[in-house]
Amino acid sequence: QVQLVESGGGLVQPGGTLRLSCAASRSIKSIPVMGWYRQAPGKQRELVATTTSGGNTNVADSVKGRFTVSRDNAKNTQYLQMNSLKPEDTAVYYCNAFLFQIHYWGQGTQVTVSS
């Protein structure tokens, strides 16, 4: 079992930058897959980025070149660096951990991109 707590969301202007953090209640070194999802009002939750325990990362085409995902195993924390933010990035961002065939979710953090 793992608890996840996101932080770092907020209001930012188009073109701005935010870094989201996801702090886990246990070591993340052996968690096979962790990820970031987002859900905009009236839309389905969508996958944004993933990291694996083997060090592989992947981001969705919609954010490629702007978002970077990473893990710091020493801090038990996953990050999502978001650059060149656009209004369409506005959503609640959720941290996810897939462990022992169960998906664990954080409570979400709001990101609003607006002038």
Side-chain angles (χ1 to χ4, degrees):
Q1 189 174 2
V2 59
Q3 284 79 47
L4 305 170
V5 179
E6 302 99 334
S7 61
L11 173 64
V12 64
Q13 293 187 341
T17 296
L18 284 174
R19 188 176 79 157
L20 305 184
S21 299
C22 170
S25 61
R26 51 154 284 167
S27 171
I28 65 171
K29 190 174 183 179
S30 60
I31 295 179
V33 182
M34 295 186 72
W36 288 97
Y37 289 72
R38 67 185 181 185
Q39 187 166 19
K43 295 188 177 181
Q44 289 188 332
R45 190 171 296 190
E46 64 173 352
L47 178 63
V48 177
T50 58
T51 65
T52 72
S53 56
N56 295 317
T57 64
N58 193 32
V59 296
D61 287 343
S62 59
V63 303
K64 196 162 291 184
R66 299 188 297 120
F67 290 13
T68 304
V69 63
S70 63
R71 293 195 197 189
D72 185 334
N73 290 333
K75 295 183 178 180
N76 296 328
T77 301
Q78 179 183 232
Y79 300 100
L80 184 67
Q81 178 69 41
M82 306 187 295
N83 300 329
S84 302
L85 282 160
K86 303 176 181 180
E88 51 263 43
D89 295 318
T90 295
V92 178
Y93 284 70
Y94 297 91
C95 181
N96 173 272
F98 186 63
L99 180 64
F100 301 129
Q101 306 303 312
I102 298 174
H103 283 279
Y104 294 92
W105 297 93
Q107 83 287 351
T109 185
Q110 177 71 45
V111 171
T112 302
V113 184
S114 174
S115 55

